[in-house]
């Protein structure tokens, strides 16, 4: 069982490596063909994950696995996901499982047991993450099993608040009473996080807010002063440094920025693996510069 609480992992790894999160969304047409050509083609996913982790462990503090991509490859995908999550956690990376789970009580409890409960506390241990993305749209009661894991096992949550997809505003920017739906979600995140503090300045119950909406991001950050924000959308979705600055708070580690396709996708599948390694390195440095935390921030805020 990993001893550190999520808030402590974030603060330590952000201090050492910054707020960049390697997003792993494995899709064969976006991956160099060389991974298929070595050994059995059925094992390309494991080889690909090992390749990416070999080049990011010790250089990046966080990794986000998008569950759907692994589920799409059936049992082989789930086995590869389990092995990669265990390896990344053992190496000290903060592991986020992007599954966006959310359901009524008993089903939400099963999800919490699957992804946030250590093996010695009743979980399987196969897919244990440090942090999970969750969907609050069915109401606060559906978050409770996940919050229980935050309190009991030191886990973290990223609750959907104002997402980066083009259609997000259809619901999240609507007014209910005199408030935006996203504002109400931010209030909910603050409220449920009050009894989940893990001894650091950062609240382990954080929010997903896209790096594509700087105006909304600035407003929502003001409602979430101590929350860790996961800010997808940098790169292909149009997010930029201006939007990131709007989301940045006053505590080291309070903004984590995942990069996936912009970091790992290739246009030419015939690229040699040594060239692919160089490409990842160049892109990683570019994103690291874009995401860099201002020197004025510190672990004490």
């Amino acid at each position: 069982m990993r001893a550190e609480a999520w808030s402590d992992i974030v603060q330590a790894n952000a201090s050492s490596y910054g707020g960049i999160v390697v997003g792993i969304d494995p899709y064969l047409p976006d991956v160099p063909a060389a991974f298929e050509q070595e050994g059995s083609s059925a094992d390309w996913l494991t080889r690909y994950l090992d390749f990416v982790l070999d080049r990011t462990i010790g250089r990046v503090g966080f990794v986000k696995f998008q569950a759907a991509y692994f589920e799409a490859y059936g049992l082989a995908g789930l086995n590869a996901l389990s092995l990669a999550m265990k390896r990344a956690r053992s190496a000290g990376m903060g592991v986020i499982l992007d599954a966006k789970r959310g359901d009524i009580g008993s089903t939400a409890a099963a999800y919490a047991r699957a992804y946030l409960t250590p093996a010695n506390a009743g979980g399987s241990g196969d897919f244990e993450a440090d942090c999970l993305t969750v969907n609050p749209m069915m109401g606060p009661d559906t978050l409770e099993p996940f919050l229980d894991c935050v309190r009991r096992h030191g886990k973290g949550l990223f609750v959907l608040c104002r997402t980066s997809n083009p259609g997000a505003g259809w619901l999240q920017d609507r007014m209910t009473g005199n408030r935006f739906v996203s504002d109400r979600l931010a209030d909910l995140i603050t409220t449920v996080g009050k009894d989940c503090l893990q001894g650091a300045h950062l609240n382990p119950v954080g929010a997903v807010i896209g790096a594509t909406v700087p105006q909304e991001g600035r407003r929502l950050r003001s409602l979430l002063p101590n929350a860790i924000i996961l800010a997808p959308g940098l790169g292909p979705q149009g997010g930029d440094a201006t939007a990131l600055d709007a989301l940045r708070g006053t505590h080291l580690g309070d903004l984590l920025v995942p990069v996936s396709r912009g970091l790992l996708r290739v246009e030419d599948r015939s690229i040699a693996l040594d060239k692919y390694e160089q490409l990842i390195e160049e892109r990683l440095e570019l994103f690291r510069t874009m995401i860099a935390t201002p020197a004025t921030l510190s672990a004490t805020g």
Side-chain angles (χ1 to χ4, degrees):
M1 177 182 174
R2 188 171 185 170
E4 305 102 314
W6 172 242
S7 295
D8 295 331
I9 293 171
V10 171
Q11 191 163 290
N13 285 9
S15 177
S16 297
Y17 306 109
I20 191 169
V21 181
V22 174
I24 301 184
D25 308 350
Y27 180 52
L28 190 55
D30 292 342
V31 170
F35 291 108
E36 291 183 278
Q37 296 162 0
E38 296 181 5
S40 168
S41 61
D43 297 329
W44 74 267
L45 183 51
T46 299
R47 289 194 294 273
Y48 173 69
L49 294 171
D50 283 342
F51 184 93
V52 173
L53 290 177
D54 283 345
R55 284 145 187 86
T56 52
I57 287 173
R59 301 185 61 220
V60 179
F62 307 93
V63 61
K64 180 175 75 70
F65 296 97
Q66 171 48 260
Y69 282 87
F70 294 89
E71 293 165 5
Y73 292 110
L75 294 178
L78 293 176
N79 182 62
L81 172 62
S82 178
L83 292 173
M85 290 177 69
K86 290 176 180 178
R87 180 184 174 190
R89 293 188 76 230
S90 295
M93 297 183 91
V95 173
I96 303 164
L97 185 64
D98 190 358
K100 299 181 179 69
R101 301 306 193 214
D103 213 317
I104 61 172
S106 59
T107 306
Y111 283 138
R113 192 163 62 251
Y115 304 125
L116 295 176
T117 304
N120 62 5
S124 72
D126 290 336
F127 305 103
E128 183 187 353
D130 298 307
C131 185
L132 180 71
T133 60
V134 294
N135 188 333
M137 298 304 174
M138 291 180 67
D141 56 306
T142 65
L143 296 178
E144 186 52 41
F146 304 110
L147 294 167
D148 187 54
C149 289
V150 175
R151 293 187 288 261
R152 293 176 58 200
H153 307 308
K155 299 300 185 179
L157 298 177
F158 283 120
V159 184
L160 300 186
C161 183
R162 204 323 181 160
T163 54
S164 60
N165 57 299
W170 179 82
L171 175 63
Q172 296 161 26
D173 293 346
R174 286 185 181 268
M175 299 289 288
T176 170
N178 62 347
R179 307 286 305 286
F180 291 108
V181 169
S182 57
D183 288 2
R184 293 186 179 276
L185 290 171
D187 289 344
L188 171 64
I189 293 165
T190 298
T191 298
V192 300
K194 284 181 178 178
D195 65 345
C196 295
L197 293 177
Q198 296 169 345
H201 292 279
L202 302 175
N203 196 301
V205 183
V208 178
I209 302 175
T212 52
V213 283
Q215 183 174 345
E216 290 85 349
R218 187 172 291 104
R219 185 186 73 247
L220 292 167
R221 168 50 84 184
S222 71
L223 299 173
L224 295 160
N226 298 314
I228 305 165
I229 290 177
L230 183 70
L234 190 66
Q237 292 188 57
D240 58 23
T242 300
L244 293 180
D245 288 342
L247 290 167
R248 208 182 303 276
T250 59
H251 302 300
L252 180 65
D254 64 12
L255 179 64
L256 300 183
V257 184
V259 288
S260 50
R261 287 175 295 168
L263 177 65
L264 299 176
R265 181 182 181 182
V266 296
E267 298 293 338
D268 180 5
R269 296 196 68 219
S270 68
I271 187 173
L273 292 186
D274 60 337
K275 296 297 185 182
Y276 184 47
E277 179 176 8
Q278 182 180 349
L279 180 65
I280 292 174
E281 168 67 22
E282 292 171 353
R283 289 174 172 176
L284 193 58
E285 289 308 309
L286 175 63
F287 282 118
R288 198 189 303 277
T289 300
M290 292 178 65
I291 295 168
T293 301
T296 54
L297 295 189
S298 70
T300 59

